[in-house]
Amino acid sequence: GGTVMLPDGRVVINGGRNTTELSSIFDYRTNQWEALQPMNDPRWYNPSVAMPDGTVFTVSGSGGSDTAELWNATTGWRRLTGVDWNAVTSQPGYINIWHPFLMLAPNGKLFHFGPTDQMNWVTTGGSGSRVPSGQNVPGAHYPKEGAWAMYDQGRVLVVGGSKNTTPNALDEGTGTSTTTTYTVNLNGATPVVAPATAMQYARQFPNAVILPNGEVMVIGGNTSGIKFSDTGAVLTPEIWNPTTGAWRAVANIAVARAY
């Protein structure tokens, strides 16, 4: 399900296994969970984003694949009928209803930057909106099952995933994991999407971790693209330096970590 931390430190969880419409909130001050009003649509593998005003945006996932909703602490969940997400999920791709890449940009809008090709601006005011940004994922890269990290204000690193959108027989990826990397810069009037130095190791299902010095560590994943499998496990983490754009390998992990 979606997981977000609100500005006051509470955590909202919405959706999850078996496409549920349920949502809950955890209050660290009382160490208690509380049920929230259910969403209008059930969701599984849905992303959620905390907005500066304390609301929570969620979209897509199994069940509610073409819809978006906004949670307000006073009024609960409501559909954002102006966000036409069908234009996103109708693009080519395998399991393209799962985990669209979304981040809050410095201009206060949401930016959608993968894994489907077309990138979009999304707003949450009123009935909401989705507007193509004019940018696309570079080349044939399909970064589903890859990873991303906002390493600086308005700047994102996207790594790994698949070389294209065609699934294998198990619908679990292409078996052609990629080293491809790109960056997204949202600090200007127009988003800048640029290829970056490729990783040393091809990966699907890695994690990207922002380090205190602004570097990004990419760890785990496999080259096979098969879920629940250590086939092709990558044990060597690597670290990306945003100043030089270079990658360096570091000491191996001992246990394979993939999907």
Side-chain angles (χ1 to χ4, degrees):
T3 306
V4 297
M5 180 177 286
L6 301 178
D8 63 9
R10 293 180 299 164
V11 175
V12 171
I13 310 288
N14 62 295
R17 186 168 182 84
N18 297 327
T19 58
T20 179
E21 73 279 4
L22 299 178
S23 59
S24 304
I25 190 166
F26 177 76
D27 192 330
Y28 69 95
R29 296 164 297 190
T30 61
N31 201 36
Q32 295 290 319
W33 286 95
E34 180 182 349
L36 296 177
Q37 175 199 28
M39 294 179 291
N40 292 280
D41 297 302
R43 303 178 190 276
W44 190 9
Y45 286 86
N46 53 294
S48 295
V49 182
M51 304 299 291
D53 61 0
T55 59
V56 175
F57 174 83
T58 195
V59 70
S60 202
S62 298
S65 58
D66 295 334
T67 66
E69 299 186 47
L70 191 71
W71 176 80
N72 178 289
T74 302
T75 58
W77 294 98
R78 64 179 178 88
R79 285 196 185 96
L80 294 177
T81 56
V83 178
D84 174 22
W85 206 253
N86 180 65
V88 176
T89 57
S90 62
Q91 294 183 53
Y94 66 95
I95 325 182
N96 54 11
I97 60 176
W98 284 3
H99 285 151
F101 300 170
L102 287 162
M103 64 164 286
L104 182 67
N107 63 10
K109 298 179 182 179
L110 291 163
F111 194 66
H112 162 245
F113 53 97
T116 47
D117 194 46
Q118 183 188 82
M119 298 186 180
N120 299 277
W121 287 110
V122 177
T123 63
T124 62
S127 60
S129 68
R130 181 204 55 82
V131 178
S133 69
Q135 286 74 35
N136 295 319
V137 172
H141 184 198
Y142 192 64
K144 177 170 168 47
E145 319 294 21
W148 65 272
M150 185 172 63
Y151 64 91
D152 200 351
Q153 181 174 342
R155 296 175 184 267
V156 182
L157 177 74
V158 184
V159 300
S162 298
K163 292 181 180 178
N164 55 56
T165 62
T166 306
N168 63 17
L170 298 176
D171 199 28
E172 293 176 335
T174 63
T176 54
S177 299
T178 182
T179 60
T180 303
T181 303
Y182 65 89
T183 59
V184 182
N185 185 343
L186 299 174
N187 289 296
T190 302
V192 176
V193 179
T197 303
M199 294 184 293
Q200 298 179 26
Y201 298 88
R203 305 171 193 263
Q204 291 188 61
F205 315 115
N207 281 295
V209 183
I210 306 163
L211 302 180
N213 63 359
E215 293 182 316
V216 178
M217 172 182 278
V218 176
I219 187 168
N222 66 28
T223 60
S224 67
I226 301 175
K227 298 173 184 171
F228 311 110
S229 172
D230 291 341
T231 301
V234 182
L235 299 180
T236 305
E238 47 192 307
I239 295 176
W240 180 75
N241 183 303
T243 302
T244 65
W247 292 92
R248 68 181 187 277
V250 294
N252 282 6
I253 58 176
V255 178
R257 302 188 183 278
Y259 181 75

